[in-house]
Amino acid sequence: MPMILTVTLNPAWDVTYVVDRLLPGGTNRVTSASGRAGGKGVNVGRVLQQMGAEVLVSGVVGGATGSLLLAELSASSVPHAMLEEAPETRRTVTVMEADGSATVLNEAGAAGEPALWTRWLRHYDRLVGDAAVVVLSGSLPPWAPARAYAELTAHAHAAGALVVLDTSGPPLVAALPARPDLVKPNEEEVLHATGAPDVLAAASGMFAAGVPRVVVSRGAEGLLAVDADGPLTVVPPTLVPVNPTGAGDALAAGLALGLVSAEPWPDVLRRAVAWSAAAVLHPSAGTLAVEALDDIAAGTMVRAALPAPNPR
Amino acid sequence: MPMILTVTLNPAWDVTYVVDRLLPGGTNRVTSASGRAGGKGVNVGRVLQQMGAEVLVSGVVGGATGSLLLAELSASSVPHAMLEEAPETRRTVTVMEADGSATVLNEAGAAGEPALWTRWLRHYDRLVGDAAVVVLSGSLPPWAPARAYAELTAHAHAAGALVVLDTSGPPLVAALPARPDLVKPNEEEVLHATGAPDVLAAASGMFAAGVPRVVVSRGAEGLLAVDADGPLTVVPPTLVPVNPTGAGDALAAGLALGLVSAEPWPDVLRRAVAWSAAAVLHPSAGTLAVEALDDIAAGTMVRAALPAPNPR
């Protein structure tokens, strides 16, 4: 089975605090505290592992918090090959209230030294030779260069691996000249990256610029995909979400597996959308409500996309 | 110089997050994250070390977070002899906003196994023989028995050490029969523990029940002290507080040092109140603004306390 390598350069130890009601400016008793390895590529890895694909989760972790992250990945049977280096891995804290509202605090992560990039590239090059697909996900840590994802794409291509890129902003724009095999921005990200007037024009523009498959995630509305066969929309059935975090990572996981499967592209898109929707039905990011998969896939519509009727 | 042993059974790794403005229910970028060993007895130890007293900070720490705490104490040159045992040390997270407001999230700490109490007692007994005074501070962890502070007081007395107790609620009430040499509740705590109609009656009742020195901290108003020479009030000058956290711990530090000094008791109280006020002028808990100490002490009034004019 072809191996899928996920890359999370800026992983986090995701802490969840449960409080009765968050009192801003006050002292709050945390009734339950739990931690879990986090970061988009970690979630992609969890989904692929759950669905029986061969996957290896990579990235850079450090310090005591990095050790917690590694121990949890091992305990969860997620195959991993993280580079262990300073600086200390960052944390996120999500404060859950009894009414379901969630307040998220995201640490940026320590700066680290630029030489870490060279050490990471050496680590990455050792892993990428065994990979059929590399999934590059998320934000860049302070120690990574602006063109980090372009360089990782080039190294993957040199090693014969395909690349799925799931990032936004300057790291996305800087990576496009390296022509990743699939990019997965959301609507806001693709509009921002291209300056196009609508999502179809933006995705088509990115395709015309040399990206063979552009998949724009649209939340509960599914996705818009542009490749050499033209634009498609894929829309899942209406669901009552449990936890939307990680839906995009489940989509990336399904797309990555699709790149190395023999399935027709529309079927790949349908399966990936179903994974994303099944992720939304599970309380934990990176885990699918598998019992719902068949129904969701059966209710997912794949259609040719038409240009916006009234482009600005 | 006589050694002062501080005990913090439920220490914490105190994390401070800086955000521009906390958006409850939203995603917040943490612009700065820092950590520091915390817990009341740790603050007492920092103050005594800063003021040149011989001190040893003890307690129980565990896991990766415990290691962070020990490393910070060492880096800060605070002498420590912590028992290293599971469970993982708890954290607190304080979210500071640009407008100065602070939202505190307090983890309760993992349960731990009751056998830990026996191992802690063995560790404590080895340390207490070298101590002239033991300062018992703060809440009890889940693994400690309800009468924990009574037992630690009895062991200290058996070893010839005096005991300062700074706790509240059931741990305070349960410790009184062991007759700690000094208790330092605040107004609310002493009223709650005794059910008396006013603070002077409450402190006098605790004294009559066998505690030789009862010191009730009253925030910016200083303290009310009851001992065999009768009740005294000690009032510092009016100050603009910088960070009130740790003021009570600085007071406990000053009182503990006073128990083994040759100073007259009113001078001990004046010095302890000055330490508490100087702690409020420093941004970090457990550190005094020493440059202000002389002025504060000179402006601190010690007076005989009168019964409340109109007792309920």
Side-chain angles (χ1 to χ4, degrees):
Chain A
M1 192 162 49
M3 191 266 274
I4 299 173
L5 177 69
T6 80
V7 172
T8 316
L9 293 180
N10 205 13
W13 180 244
D14 287 338
V15 174
T16 301
Y17 281 170
V18 176
V19 301
D20 187 37
R21 185 168 157 275
L22 178 63
L23 182 68
T27 296
N28 298 270
R29 208 171 73 88
V30 174
T31 55
S32 148
S34 56
R36 198 158 184 265
K40 293 171 69 64
V42 171
N43 292 336
V44 172
R46 285 189 204 276
V47 168
L48 287 167
Q49 190 259 345
Q50 182 191 11
M51 300 309 288
E54 194 190 338
V55 67
L56 186 64
V57 169
S58 75
V60 180
V61 297
T65 309
S67 302
L68 288 175
L69 190 149
L70 293 177
E72 194 273 323
L73 286 180
S74 296
S76 302
S77 305
V78 177
H80 56 90
M82 292 281 187
L83 178 66
E84 291 183 65
E85 287 269 1
E88 181 88 17
T89 294
R90 72 197 177 98
R91 292 179 168 236
T92 71
V93 176
T94 300
V95 184
M96 299 290 306
E97 298 176 61
D99 70 0
S101 77
T103 303
V104 181
L105 297 154
N106 279 333
E107 293 184 21
E113 48 171 25
L116 182 49
W117 175 248
T118 312
R119 295 202 289 279
W120 158 255
L121 265 186
R122 209 153 48 219
H123 181 79
Y124 174 74
D125 284 342
R126 276 196 293 269
L127 302 176
V128 79
D130 296 327
V133 183
V134 178
V135 184
L136 306 172
S137 305
S139 59
L140 293 176
W143 50 264
R147 290 188 67 260
Y149 284 139
E151 207 166 335
L152 296 182
T153 298
H155 282 231
H157 285 165
L162 299 170
V163 173
V164 171
L165 176 64
D166 182 10
T167 189
S168 61
L172 169 61
V173 173
L176 294 178
R179 304 196 174 184
D181 301 274
L182 191 157
V183 297
K184 192 206 79 46
N186 65 28
E187 292 178 284
E188 187 188 332
E189 288 159 3
V190 76
L191 290 172
H192 186 264
T194 58
D198 63 60
V199 171
L200 179 53
S204 300
M206 217 171 253
F207 170 77
V211 177
R213 291 172 198 81
V214 180
V215 176
V216 181
S217 61
R218 310 173 82 181
E221 291 171 71
L223 59 79
L224 168 77
V226 174
D227 76 342
D229 292 332
L232 295 173
T233 59
V234 185
V235 183
T238 302
L239 302 168
V240 178
V242 175
N243 177 9
T245 309
D249 302 326
L251 182 62
L255 295 169
L257 187 62
L259 284 186
V260 287
S261 75
E263 291 172 291
W265 189 236
D267 293 349
V268 167
L269 294 176
R270 181 195 306 271
R271 216 250 336 280
V273 164
W275 283 19
S276 179
V280 165
L281 294 183
H282 195 282
S284 299
T287 308
L288 310 188
V290 284
E291 67 282 4
L293 268 179
D294 287 350
D295 281 354
I296 297 172
T300 296
M301 300 297 200
V302 182
R303 290 212 178 85
L306 302 175
N310 185 16
R312 277 167 283 174
Chain B
M1 193 161 49
M3 191 267 273
I4 300 173
L5 177 69
T6 81
V7 173
T8 316
L9 294 180
N10 205 13
W13 180 243
D14 287 337
V15 174
T16 300
Y17 281 170
V18 177
V19 301
D20 188 37
R21 187 168 158 274
L22 178 62
L23 183 67
T27 296
N28 298 269
R29 207 171 74 88
V30 174
T31 55
S32 148
S34 56
R36 199 159 183 264
K40 292 171 70 64
V42 171
N43 293 337
V44 173
R46 284 189 205 276
V47 169
L48 287 168
Q49 190 260 346
Q50 182 191 12
M51 300 309 288
E54 194 189 338
V55 68
L56 186 63
V57 169
S58 76
V60 180
V61 297
T65 309
S67 302
L68 288 175
L69 190 149
L70 293 177
E72 194 273 323
L73 285 180
S74 297
S76 302
S77 305
V78 177
H80 56 91
M82 293 281 188
L83 178 66
E84 291 183 64
E85 287 268 2
E88 181 87 16
T89 294
R90 71 196 178 99
R91 293 180 169 234
T92 71
V93 176
T94 300
V95 185
M96 299 291 305
E97 297 176 62
D99 71 0
S101 76
T103 303
V104 181
L105 296 155
N106 280 334
E107 293 183 21
E113 48 171 26
L116 182 48
W117 175 248
T118 312
R119 295 202 289 279
W120 158 254
L121 265 187
R122 209 153 47 218
H123 181 79
Y124 175 74
D125 284 341
R126 275 197 293 270
L127 302 176
V128 80
D130 295 327
V133 183
V134 179
V135 183
L136 307 172
S137 305
S139 59
L140 293 176
W143 49 264
R147 291 188 66 261
Y149 284 138
E151 206 166 337
L152 296 183
T153 298
H155 281 232
H157 285 164
L162 299 170
V163 172
V164 172
L165 175 64
D166 183 9
T167 189
S168 60
L172 169 61
V173 173
L176 295 177
R179 304 196 175 184
D181 301 274
L182 192 157
V183 298
K184 193 206 77 47
N186 64 27
E187 293 178 283
E188 187 187 332
E189 288 159 3
V190 76
L191 290 172
H192 186 265
T194 58
D198 63 62
V199 172
L200 179 54
S204 301
M206 218 172 252
F207 170 77
V211 177
R213 290 171 200 81
V214 180
V215 177
V216 181
S217 62
R218 310 173 81 183
E221 290 170 70
L223 59 78
L224 168 77
V226 174
D227 75 345
D229 292 331
L232 295 172
T233 58
V234 186
V235 183
T238 302
L239 301 167
V240 178
V242 175
N243 178 9
T245 308
D249 303 325
L251 182 61
L255 294 169
L257 187 62
L259 284 186
V260 288
S261 76
E263 290 174 291
W265 188 237
D267 294 350
V268 167
L269 294 176
R270 182 195 304 272
R271 217 251 333 283
V273 164
W275 282 19
S276 179
V280 166
L281 295 183
H282 196 282
S284 298
T287 308
L288 310 188
V290 284
E291 67 282 3
L293 268 179
D294 288 347
D295 281 354
I296 296 172
T300 296
M301 299 297 200
V302 181
R303 291 213 177 85
L306 301 174
N310 185 18
R312 277 167 286 176

